[in-house]
């Protein structure tokens, strides 16, 4: 559980004063998976660092995993696992030695720890490179190892700061799958990112911050209804059959737009309705060339929100 | 202070050092260089017989009990040996520079500081672990080459003096106290410098600048002390212990999680 109240951080440099985070108030329940969304410089890293007691807040405070970040920082650090924006791994040491170092800090006994390391590297598909120095790792491998490092002591709270920065589409997809897996347990996860598309299907809740202020806090579904944004389907069918008459009596179809040449863009209430839609088309003997999900809408919504 | 955590960090530091060719090279090359320099500047002139005129200074010194009965060559041999040792005492002043810059500023450069700072280690545990991690690897080559030096001197001193010159009280004090205390002092200064610079290269350069005057001050008083007697050395050691205690206290209070990762 994470409770933040009026959490704020101001940096004083010689030339200027930067309010990196202002009055951040939020309550994240145990087991919730939350996206912390915002453009570059919004204050995401500052928030993560405040919650992990790396930074001392200028104003307000927070309780993380039951411990106060100001009066009890060491217990907070024992409770959380963190994968910082820049993977905190020793390039000259092997993957195993890196994890060992952190495992030792959390007081694992030797045998349990080596089991835990193997198990984690298995999960993250890094078992083959376990004894290779991290300097030989690709960016994706480092990112995965960094998350494995954060999980070494099986923390109940996981903080991930931009886990997919600089990853290839393939690595991104793989990592998303992994995070989804981690989210299934009863772990509280806070993921900072500026890329909503990666998270939409994983998270329970979205926090959007911009210029240090929390400007939105809601679930993905709420967000859609609130702003009337529904998922879209792209559909390509045989010839010039008229689609409108068939889908008209399907109540989950919100809007149909013809793009010509048998191509349509359908606004649909949820992707869960896709199988039923396909079934209806098949029953009406319509040959389907292509059905694909397009889901740019939340991302677009987010972009307009933060640019305001 | 949890010494188990200090030890874990210390072990990690050592693991990193043995895997850095640059650091390892510095740790071996510099001592070897100083060793050769001190050996050639002590024994070579004595053995080749270029001992020169008796300096008035010679008779005012008293390195052994039977100093006045020694020949000029013998006196020259002993004084050269003592000077050579002082050259080796530069090692603990220089070597921690390389490692401390690599561990403190280096961790920030490589982004690994954030991981430590977000772990349950406290500032003082981090500080102590890092100091030990920089100090011990620099003392090992120091001890090694001191030992080699003593053996080399002894190899010739049997002929020249008729007895093994080392180890003597002064050597033991250098070996066990002055060297490590010098090392501790520079390590502290380096850590302080490393927390203030943005890259490990800057840290090394600035560290060199800051340590230079320190070296001269220490050596100034130190050379005087040597000329006097080992009893005065004990006082120097005492002063160094107090100085180190203060430096350590200051260093610990200077290390700040927030500033370190910036
Ligand atoms: N140590 C610091 N000193 C001074 N200013 C800082 C410091 N850290 C962050 N800032 C400023 O605070 C603001 C928020 O920075 P932060 O790193 O939290 O953003 P972010 O959302 O993580 O951005 P990004 O997506 O680029 O990682 C920025 O304007 C940044 O310049
Ligand atoms: Mg950031």
């Amino acid at each position: 559980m994470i409770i933040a109240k009026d959490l704020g951080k101001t940096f004083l440099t010689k030339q200027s004063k930067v309010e990196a985070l202002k009055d951040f108030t939020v309550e994240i329940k145990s087991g919730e998976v939350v996206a912390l969304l915002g453009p570059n410089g919004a204050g995401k890293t500052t928030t993560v660092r405040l919650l992990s007691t790396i930074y001392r807040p200028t104003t307000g405070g927070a309780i993380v995993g039951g411990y106060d970040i100001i009066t009890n920082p060491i217990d907070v650090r024992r409770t959380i696992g963190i994968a910082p924006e820049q993977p905190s791994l020793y390039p000259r040491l092997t993957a195993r030695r890196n994890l060992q170092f952190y495992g030792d800090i959390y007081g694992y006994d030797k045998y349990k720890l080596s089991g835990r390391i193997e198990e984690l590297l298995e999960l993250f598909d890094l078992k083959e490179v376990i004894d290779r120095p991290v300097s030989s790792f690709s960016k994706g491998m480092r990112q995965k190892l960094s998350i494995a490092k954060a999980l070494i002591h099986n923390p109940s709270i996981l903080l991930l700061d931009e886990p997919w920065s600089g990853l290839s589409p393939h690595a991104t997809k793989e990592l998303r799958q992994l995070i989804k897996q981690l989210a299934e347990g009863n772990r509280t996860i806070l993921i900072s990112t500026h890329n909503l598309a990666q998270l939409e299907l994983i998270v329970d809740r979205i926090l959007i911050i911009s210029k240090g202020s929390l400007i939105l806090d809601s679930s993905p579904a709420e967000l859609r209804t609130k702003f009337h944004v529904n998922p879209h389907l792209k559909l390509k069918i045989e010839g010039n059959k008229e689609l409108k008459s068939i889908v008209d009596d399907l109540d989950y179809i919100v809007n149909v737009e013809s793009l010509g040449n048998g191509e349509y863009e359908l606004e649909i209430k949820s992707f869960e309705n896709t199988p039923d839609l396909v079934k209806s088309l098949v029953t009406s003997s319509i040959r389907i060339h292509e059905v694909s999900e397009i889901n740019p809408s939340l991302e677009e919504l987010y972009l307009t929100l933060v640019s305001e | 202070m949890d010494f188990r955590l200090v030890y874990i960090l210390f072990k990690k530091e050592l693991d990193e050092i043995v895997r850095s060719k640059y650091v390892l090279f510095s740790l071996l090359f510099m001592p070897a260089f100083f060793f050769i320099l001190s050996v050639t500047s002590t024994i070579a002139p004595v053995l080749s017989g270029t001992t020169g005129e008796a300096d008035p200074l010679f008779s005012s010194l008293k390195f052994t009990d039977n100093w006045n009965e020694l020949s000029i060559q013998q006196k020259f041999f002993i004084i050269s040996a003592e000077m050579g040792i002082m050259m080796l005492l530069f090692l603990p002043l220089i070597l921690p520079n390389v490692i401390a810059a690599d561990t403190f500023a280096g961790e920030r450069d490589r982004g690994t500081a954030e991981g430590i700072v977000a772990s349950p280690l406290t500032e003082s545990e981090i500080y102590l672990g890092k100091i030990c991690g920089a100090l011990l690897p620099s003392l090992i080559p120091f001890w090694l080459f001191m030992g080699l030096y003593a053996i080399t001197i002894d190899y010739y001193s049997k002929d020249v003096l008729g007895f093994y010159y080392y180890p003597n009280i002064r050597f033991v004090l250098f070996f066990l106290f002055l060297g490590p205390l010098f090392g501790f002092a520079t390590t502290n200064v380096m850590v302080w410098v490393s927390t203030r610079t943005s890259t490990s290269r800057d840290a090394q350069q600035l560290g060199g600048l800051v340590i230079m005057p320190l070296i001269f001050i220490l050596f100034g008083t130190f050379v005087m002390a040597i000329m006097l007697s080992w009893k005065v050395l004990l006082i120097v050691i005492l002063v160094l212990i107090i100085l180190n205690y203060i430096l350590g206290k200051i260093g610990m209070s200077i290390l700040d999680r927030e500033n370190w990762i910036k």
Side-chain angles (χ1 to χ4, degrees), chain A residues 41 44-46 85 161-162 192:
Chain A
K44 303 182 294 294
T45 299
T46 304
E85 198 164 358
D161 196 358
E162 307 236 12
S192 109

Side-chain angles (χ1 to χ4, degrees), chain A residues 148-298:
Chain A
K149 183 222 92 180
L151 286 166
I152 190 79
H153 55 302
N154 206 1
S156 57
I157 296 171
L158 187 62
L159 306 172
L160 307 176
D161 196 358
E162 307 236 12
W164 19 70
S165 69
L167 295 195
S168 70
H170 174 75
T172 305
K173 200 172 150 200
E174 199 190 344
L175 189 57
R176 188 172 57 217
Q177 221 55 46
L178 271 170
I179 293 176
K180 201 168 168 188
Q181 226 170 310
L182 297 176
E184 273 156 16
N186 193 36
R187 215 187 298 275
T188 312
I189 307 181
L190 181 71
I191 312 167
S192 109
T193 180
H194 44 224
N195 189 347
L196 178 59
Q198 300 308 338
L199 279 176
E200 219 188 315
L201 300 171
I202 304 177
V203 299
D204 305 316
R205 201 163 146 197
I206 297 172
L207 306 175
I208 298 180
I209 54 173
S210 175
K211 300 191 189 90
S213 302
L214 185 64
I215 55 172
L216 191 128
D217 174 359
S218 78
S219 72
E222 264 170 29
L223 203 60
R224 286 186 183 290
T225 32
K226 203 151 144 198
F227 291 90
H228 309 289
V229 199
N230 289 309
H232 288 224
L233 272 186
K234 191 178 153 200
L235 191 64
K236 190 163 187 229
I237 55 172
E238 179 72 24
N240 359 1
K241 288 237 180 178
E242 189 44 57
L243 189 70
K244 199 114 174 71
S245 55
I246 301 162
V247 298
D248 252 359
D249 46 341
L250 300 177
D251 59 356
Y252 49 80
I253 301 291
V254 182
N255 188 29
V256 180
E257 192 184 338
S258 171
L259 307 170
N261 276 340
E263 283 188 41
Y264 294 89
E265 190 171 323
L266 307 183
E267 191 180 332
I268 186 170
K269 281 195 175 147
S270 156
F271 287 136
E272 315 243 301
N273 305 119
T274 313
D276 191 70
L277 172 70
V278 172
K279 209 155 81 191
S280 313
L281 294 177
V282 172
T283 337
S284 316
S285 314
I286 288 180
R287 281 182 63 192
I288 306 168
H289 287 308
E290 190 192 329
V291 185
S292 56
E293 298 180 352
I294 39 178
N295 207 356
S297 20
L298 254 197

Side-chain angles (χ1 to χ4, degrees), chain A residues 1-250:
Chain A
M1 194 162 74
I2 299 172
I3 304 166
K5 184 133 201 329
D6 301 328
L7 196 61
K9 180 74 184 171
T10 305
F11 292 104
L12 293 172
T13 58
K14 281 182 196 96
Q15 304 85 17
S16 62
K17 189 174 138 187
V18 184
E19 275 194 288
L21 194 69
K22 285 170 278 196
D23 302 327
F24 184 78
T25 299
V26 95
E27 191 174 329
I28 298 171
K29 288 194 265 310
S30 295
E32 253 189 319
V33 180
V34 177
L36 183 64
L37 211 60
N40 288 125
K44 303 182 294 294
T45 299
T46 304
T47 310
V48 170
R49 286 183 174 170
L50 281 168
L51 293 176
S52 54
T53 78
I54 297 175
Y55 285 163
R56 278 177 297 273
T58 325
T59 61
I63 306 287
V64 176
Y67 300 104
D68 190 312
I69 58 166
I70 298 166
T71 58
N72 225 342
I74 296 180
D75 285 318
V76 171
R77 296 202 287 271
R78 248 185 252 286
T79 313
I80 58 163
I82 176 174
E85 198 164 358
Q86 194 182 353
S88 229
L89 303 163
Y90 296 96
R92 290 178 213 143
L93 305 181
T94 62
R96 191 201 296 273
R97 185 64 183 91
N98 267 285
L99 295 192
Q100 225 167 37
F101 170 57
Y102 282 101
D104 281 342
I105 287 181
Y106 292 101
Y108 259 97
D109 81 64
K110 218 170 159 190
Y111 294 100
K112 260 203 192 140
L113 180 58
S114 75
R116 176 79 183 146
I117 291 173
E118 307 246 327
E119 175 195 336
L120 276 172
L121 292 183
E122 178 95 47
L123 172 70
F124 284 80
D125 201 18
L126 291 169
K127 197 98 182 265
E128 272 135 61
V129 293
I130 185 167
D131 288 314
R132 259 172 48 185
V134 171
S135 57
S136 70
F137 280 24
S138 72
K139 199 140 190 201
M141 288 155 83
R142 279 176 211 218
Q143 210 64 262
K144 286 197 291 182
L145 186 60
S146 171
I147 299 177
K149 183 222 92 180
L151 286 166
I152 190 79
H153 55 302
N154 206 1
S156 57
I157 296 171
L158 187 62
L159 306 172
L160 307 176
D161 196 358
E162 307 236 12
W164 19 70
S165 69
L167 295 195
S168 70
H170 174 75
T172 305
K173 200 172 150 200
E174 199 190 344
L175 189 57
R176 188 172 57 217
Q177 221 55 46
L178 271 170
I179 293 176
K180 201 168 168 188
Q181 226 170 310
L182 297 176
E184 273 156 16
N186 193 36
R187 215 187 298 275
T188 312
I189 307 181
L190 181 71
I191 312 167
S192 109
T193 180
H194 44 224
N195 189 347
L196 178 59
Q198 300 308 338
L199 279 176
E200 219 188 315
L201 300 171
I202 304 177
V203 299
D204 305 316
R205 201 163 146 197
I206 297 172
L207 306 175
I208 298 180
I209 54 173
S210 175
K211 300 191 189 90
S213 302
L214 185 64
I215 55 172
L216 191 128
D217 174 359
S218 78
S219 72
E222 264 170 29
L223 203 60
R224 286 186 183 290
T225 32
K226 203 151 144 198
F227 291 90
H228 309 289
V229 199
N230 289 309
H232 288 224
L233 272 186
K234 191 178 153 200
L235 191 64
K236 190 163 187 229
I237 55 172
E238 179 72 24
N240 359 1
K241 288 237 180 178
E242 189 44 57
L243 189 70
K244 199 114 174 71
S245 55
I246 301 162
V247 298
D248 252 359
D249 46 341
L250 300 177

Side-chain angles (χ1 to χ4, degrees), chain B residues 229-248:
Chain B
S229 78
W230 63 266
K231 282 172 198 132
V232 185
L233 266 185
L234 283 182
I235 297 170
V236 174
I237 288 170
L238 199 71
V239 171
L240 275 176
I241 288 176
I242 296 167
L243 179 76
N244 272 314
Y245 179 78
I246 297 168
L247 275 176

